[in-house]
Amino acid sequence: MNSPLEAKELKERRRLTIRGAVQGVGFRPFIFRTARDCGFEGWVRNSSSGVVVEVEGCADSLDSFEERLKAGAPRHAVIETIVSEIISVSGEGRGFSILESDARDDVSSLILPDLAVCADCLREMNDPSDRRYRYPFINCTQCGPRFTIMAAMPYDRAQTSMGAFESCAACVGEYDDPLDRRFHAQPIACPECGPQLELWDRDGSVLAGRDDVLKQTVEALRAGRIVALKGLGGFHLLVDAGNEQAAQSLRERKNRKTKPFALMYPSLEDVRGDCHVSEAEEGLLISAAAPIVLLAHKNPQRLAPSVAPDNPYLGVMLPHTPLHALIMQDLQRPVIATSGNRVSEPVCLDESAALKRLSGISDLFLVHNRPIVNRADDSIARVMGGQAVILRRARGYAPLPLRMGSRAEKTVLAVGGHLKSSVTYAKGQNLILGPHIGDLDNPEACAAHEGGADLFIRFYKGVPERVAHDAHPDYRSTRLVQARYGEKCFPVQHHYAHALSCMVDNGLEGPCFAVVWDGSGYGADGTIWGGEFLTIVEDGYERTSHFLPLKLPGGEAAIRDPRRTALSVLREIGGDFALSGLSEEEVRILGLALDKGINAPATSSAGRLFDAAAVLCGVCLENSFEGEAAMALEFSAMKADCDEVFEFDFCDGIVDWRPLFKALIREAKQNPNRAARMFHNTMADVIVSVARGQDCRRVLLTGGCFQNKLLLEITLERLREAGLEAYWHRSIPPNDGGLAAGQVIAALRAQKDKGTQI
């Protein structure tokens, strides 16, 4: 038998520093229970760098303990690194405990996004014998608010908006009980001590409280009224999706002419009743992120025609909070659940803003007294080419990071562009993507954008040493950071940023050949680019090819009115100038502007070519929202099944679209859907033809045009047939919402080329 001294010498003490998304997922309780099961002494606590553990026991057992941490971590945890070091044995015999957090370290812990309500909490919420029966703020270590309630790191209740709610004795007991699934759940609450609901009228007068709120809300929705609901990261506007009059009223009040509304369904079974749902799409719907998923619908008769006019897809999500779940299970029918904002403004965060900005839209306001600290709109995803693609990265995904191939020794902030703006922050090897903010068309959006940048600076306690932005000198995002950061600013060409975002999304270093198609971006020569073929090299990019430039009569007016673009196409090919909706006088005036180059900038934009094709096929004559004409062309093309293509010319790096449009007009007179399909086929063939002439076999497909599922999938098939490797987006949006990520990589590459890595 060993003496006490010999037993102590056989022991070993280790300090483990665990970095990653390890706060707010039940990681400390998991470590606590595991260490207690092993009979170890020591402690665990949150720190600004992650989770720190000191654990004492036999060396062999400690090795096994580390393996258990990696293999059995909570399902939402993301372990990036575990640094283990041997320290002096304590031998104090105090058992294992959870200590108070330490915020003195360098902040490198990752912020977890909000997690959709879990099955266990739903089960308790619907159990009449449970003390949280029908409580709309039920949560545990595996679900509930995270990012949207956080004010600072580390993730502790006192540093969240739940700090204002003092826990009752029962909640304290659960929080302190190692065997309870709410052990150290920071947002823990119950009807006795947690947030509460109220229902308000347009003047802010209280109509109901507690469970009566839910009953009256459901009654109001059944009666066709519009309800503004305060959710996790902002407000939703809810209305019965089967009530055409109510849906039309929402469109009129929100000034939203035809853009599709998102829907929320009570259950996955209900979704299947109206939509085709693949295994991959189901995985997205029921995931902890619970995004809006674009699904092909099969039963439009159950929905109001105004939900998604002339659109074969529905944007569908499931209830992601207990509050939404309670309403949906009582209502038992789908609702429109659109962002609670006015056109072009960010989603409303608090009651005062909602009353001010939504009182002309909503009839009632379902509010609660848990403050939202950080904005997070709904994420949007679509399965394309067999993989999920995030089209809008927000609730459920942001601000989880992507790992970069190399480490940034200093911090970089990137602020994106003008449309679909978001910010990205680089620290260490992490590319931390902020949530979608929106278009910077008004002071409210600009303030939200600045707040998004300040959020990372506050969380990670570091003013950025380089600030990347779009090269367009007049973007508000550019002007905002230039005024604030001056010499730290680094301009990045728009399409180069798109290409780099696709590369980092796929873990590629280069070289790569990038097909970057979108509506517009400021070109390196000062013109408007948008149909670009770029070779990405170590020290930047080369513009290998592009579409023949086309003049846009009226400049930005042609984006809203694609008939102008179609007119420009017709003048270039010598076609008939008669266009539906344009008078002879309008055609004459616009023709003069084109001839004299008055407010008629030239662009290589692929997006504008899609617009013109939509008009000339007769499927759409205006863009009441971004991309409407291109979407209509895609939907028209889906109705035809053919592999034929139109002719086009490619010479000296210029793709000449004029032969294509001459043939398209002839075909459209006979069969518009077939013409639309042949246009898509031809655009895919353009990509293959240009890519075949490159030395690089890796082809990136990026930019807003590749939100088009049909275009992407036709292109993927033809690239593979040509023996080329195709890469497209996954976690980073292909549209301008992904620009900031690419801007960060551009800044890092530029510094590396100079020999001093940021």
Side-chain angles (χ1 to χ4, degrees):
M1 186 174 187
N2 293 324
S3 68
L5 179 60
E6 289 173 330
K8 183 174 182 179
E9 289 174 346
L10 292 174
K11 283 189 174 182
E12 184 175 289
R13 191 175 183 92
R14 297 182 190 177
R15 178 181 292 121
L16 309 178
T17 302
I18 306 166
R19 290 185 168 88
V22 290
Q23 296 185 16
V25 291
F27 205 86
R28 287 179 300 169
F30 161 67
I31 290 175
F32 177 89
R33 286 189 285 264
T34 305
R36 289 276 290 266
D37 289 346
C38 295
F40 293 153
E41 298 175 10
W43 50 261
V44 59
R45 70 179 172 196
N46 278 344
S47 79
S48 298
S49 58
V51 170
V52 179
V53 187
E54 285 196 11
V55 61
E56 189 170 311
C58 296
D60 289 345
S61 297
L62 291 177
D63 290 339
S64 176
F65 174 73
E66 290 189 32
E67 291 303 315
R68 287 179 67 180
L69 294 189
K70 297 174 185 176
R75 66 179 180 273
H76 298 306
V78 179
I79 298 175
E80 292 188 332
T81 60
I82 298 179
V83 177
S84 177
E85 55 183 320
I86 298 175
I87 58 176
S88 299
V89 173
S90 168
E92 295 178 351
R94 295 181 179 177
F96 198 89
S97 59
I98 297 179
L99 302 184
E100 290 187 6
S101 297
D102 183 358
R104 295 174 296 175
D105 297 340
D106 172 57
V107 180
S108 57
S109 182
L110 303 181
I111 307 161
L112 201 72
D114 299 71
L115 303 171
V117 59
C118 70
D120 288 334
C121 282
L122 286 176
R123 189 160 42 249
E124 290 179 357
M125 185 184 74
N126 287 311
D127 181 356
S129 66
D130 193 279
R131 70 188 192 90
R132 291 186 176 86
Y133 177 58
R134 291 185 63 83
Y135 182 55
F137 302 96
I138 190 171
N139 66 81
C140 68
T141 56
Q142 298 304 306
C143 72
R146 300 295 190 269
F147 169 67
T148 55
I149 62 171
M150 289 177 63
M153 294 288 286
Y155 176 67
D156 288 319
R157 188 181 182 94
Q159 302 201 96
T160 73
S161 58
M162 285 299 297
F165 298 90
E166 184 176 352
S167 296
C168 66
C171 284
V172 169
E174 293 170 333
Y175 184 90
D176 290 337
D177 182 359
L179 301 179
D180 195 284
R181 65 188 194 86
R182 293 189 174 87
F183 181 45
H184 276 251
Q186 302 306 317
I188 190 171
C190 75
E192 298 304 314
C193 63
Q196 300 294 334
L197 297 176
E198 288 185 341
L199 187 65
W200 295 358
D201 64 15
R202 288 179 172 179
D203 297 322
S205 299
V206 178
L207 301 176
R210 291 192 177 256
D211 203 50
D212 283 343
V213 170
L214 300 173
K215 295 174 183 176
Q216 292 192 29
T217 296
V218 170
E219 290 172 1
L221 290 170
R222 284 179 175 148
R225 305 183 78 185
I226 300 169
V227 177
L229 178 149
K230 184 180 178 184
L232 273 178
F235 274 77
H236 275 132
L237 291 168
L238 305 183
V239 70
D240 182 356
N243 187 324
E244 173 63 8
Q245 184 177 351
Q248 280 283 11
S249 179
L250 180 58
R251 286 206 175 276
E252 292 167 7
R253 296 183 193 182
K254 203 176 179 186
N255 191 26
R256 183 165 170 162
K257 188 174 181 181
T258 57
K259 187 176 182 179
F261 285 129
L263 297 175
M264 181 175 287
Y265 276 76
S267 69
L268 181 61
E269 290 70 28
D270 289 304
V271 176
R272 290 191 182 281
D274 285 356
C275 303
H276 299 280
V277 185
S278 69
E279 184 177 346
E281 289 163 341
E282 177 181 332
L284 284 168
L285 286 168
I286 65 174
S287 69
I292 296 169
V293 183
L294 300 187
L295 303 173
H297 68 66
K298 62 183 180 182
N299 186 22
Q301 293 80 14
R302 201 157 77 102
L303 301 173
S306 294
V307 167
D310 302 317
N311 195 316
Y313 290 96
L314 296 174
V316 172
M317 60 180 154
L318 293 174
H320 51 273
T321 75
L323 174 56
H324 288 93
L326 283 166
I327 291 172
M328 296 308 296
Q329 68 187 30
D330 289 353
L331 187 63
Q332 283 299 303
R333 66 180 74 169
V335 296
I336 292 171
T338 190
S339 299
N341 58 359
R342 296 193 301 199
V343 173
S344 298
E345 291 185 355
V347 63
C348 291
L349 286 188
D350 57 54
E351 295 81 1
S352 61
L355 282 176
K356 180 181 179 181
R357 302 193 175 281
L358 303 180
S359 61
I361 302 174
S362 182
D363 299 310
L364 297 170
F365 293 80
L366 197 171
V367 300
H368 56 76
N369 59 340
R370 183 180 69 200
I372 299 171
V373 179
N374 302 308
R375 180 180 281 104
D377 209 337
D378 295 314
S379 294
I380 303 175
R382 189 178 196 182
V383 175
M384 299 194 291
Q387 72 185 28
V389 178
I390 306 302
L391 302 180
R392 186 166 80 189
R393 187 180 174 95
R395 176 187 54 75
Y397 295 103
L400 273 181
L402 273 69
R403 294 285 280 179
M404 296 184 290
S406 58
R407 180 180 177 81
E409 298 301 329
K410 297 182 181 179
T411 57
V412 182
L413 173 70
V415 295
H418 180 79
L419 301 177
K420 298 179 173 63
S421 69
S422 65
V423 299
T424 295
Y425 191 83
K427 185 177 177 68
Q429 214 169 337
N430 288 318
L431 191 68
I432 305 163
L433 286 78
H436 164 87
I437 295 167
D439 302 347
L440 303 183
D441 289 329
N442 51 66
E444 292 78 16
C446 291
H449 184 272
E450 285 193 281
D454 289 341
L455 179 149
F456 288 126
I457 295 169
R458 184 176 76 247
F459 274 175
Y460 292 103
K461 301 178 182 177
V463 176
E465 282 138 301
R466 178 59 62 95
V467 180
H469 59 82
D470 194 273
H472 197 302
D474 294 327
Y475 276 0
R476 287 188 174 93
S477 54
T478 296
R479 286 187 283 174
L480 287 169
V481 295
Q482 285 181 337
R484 183 171 180 180
Y485 293 103
E487 293 182 355
K488 291 183 178 181
C489 291
F490 181 79
V492 182
Q493 200 281 322
H494 189 94
H495 301 92
Y496 179 44
H498 272 306
L500 292 179
S501 75
C502 190
M503 286 175 63
V504 72
D505 204 2
N506 286 279
L508 301 174
E509 292 289 336
C512 291
F513 181 66
V515 181
V516 192
W517 288 2
D518 62 3
S520 63
Y522 190 75
D525 58 3
T527 64
I528 305 170
W529 291 4
E532 309 309 308
F533 301 85
L534 308 179
T535 300
I536 310 302
V537 293
E538 188 174 348
D539 59 349
Y541 70 94
E542 297 173 2
R543 191 188 191 198
T544 304
S545 304
H546 58 86
F547 280 107
L548 178 74
L550 171 71
K551 290 181 180 179
L552 297 181
E556 287 192 8
I559 298 174
R560 297 185 296 273
D561 184 358
R563 292 170 300 182
R564 294 169 177 248
T565 307
L567 176 65
S568 185
V569 166
L570 288 172
R571 289 176 62 86
E572 285 292 327
I573 64 176
D576 185 356
F577 294 166
L579 281 171
S580 176
L582 288 182
S583 67
E584 290 184 9
E585 181 64 9
E586 286 175 311
V587 170
R588 186 186 69 80
I589 293 172
L590 292 172
L592 285 173
L594 288 167
D595 291 339
K596 297 183 178 182
I598 300 172
N599 191 22
T603 180
S604 59
S605 168
R608 300 290 77 83
L609 296 180
F610 274 87
D611 283 354
V615 172
L616 296 172
C617 286
V619 298
C620 186
L621 301 180
E622 66 172 329
N623 276 323
S624 66
F625 62 90
E626 186 192 10
E628 180 176 9
M631 287 171 57
L633 189 70
E634 177 189 1
F635 302 153
S636 174
M638 289 167 56
K639 299 174 184 176
D641 185 12
C642 69
D643 294 324
E644 286 84 357
V645 298
F646 297 124
E647 291 184 2
F648 62 91
D649 289 337
F650 176 50
C651 184
D652 296 329
I654 304 297
V655 179
D656 189 342
W657 41 262
R658 288 175 296 188
L660 186 166
F661 274 92
K662 287 180 180 178
L664 178 138
I665 291 170
R666 289 194 298 269
E667 182 64 35
K669 290 178 180 177
Q670 304 299 319
N671 189 330
N673 294 334
R674 181 179 169 85
R677 181 59 176 250
M678 291 178 68
F679 179 84
H680 281 75
N681 295 343
T682 306
M683 294 296 269
D685 257 26
V686 166
I687 293 172
V688 175
S689 296
V690 179
R692 273 179 170 154
Q694 309 305 311
D695 293 332
C696 183
R697 312 302 289 172
R698 298 192 298 191
V699 182
L700 310 175
L701 303 175
T702 183
C705 289
F706 290 104
Q707 297 174 110
N708 181 323
K709 179 180 172 73
L710 182 64
L711 172 68
L712 178 70
E713 293 182 345
I714 293 173
T715 304
L716 292 176
E717 180 180 356
R718 298 192 178 199
L719 284 171
R720 288 164 181 158
E721 289 173 352
L724 298 167
E725 299 174 34
Y727 297 88
W728 63 109
H729 284 263
R730 303 176 186 219
S731 298
I732 300 175
N735 54 52
D736 282 7
L739 282 177
Q743 290 167 355
V744 166
I745 304 303
L748 294 175
R749 285 165 64 98
Q751 288 297 312
K752 186 176 181 180
D753 293 337
K754 294 177 182 178
T756 51
Q757 191 173 3
I758 291 181

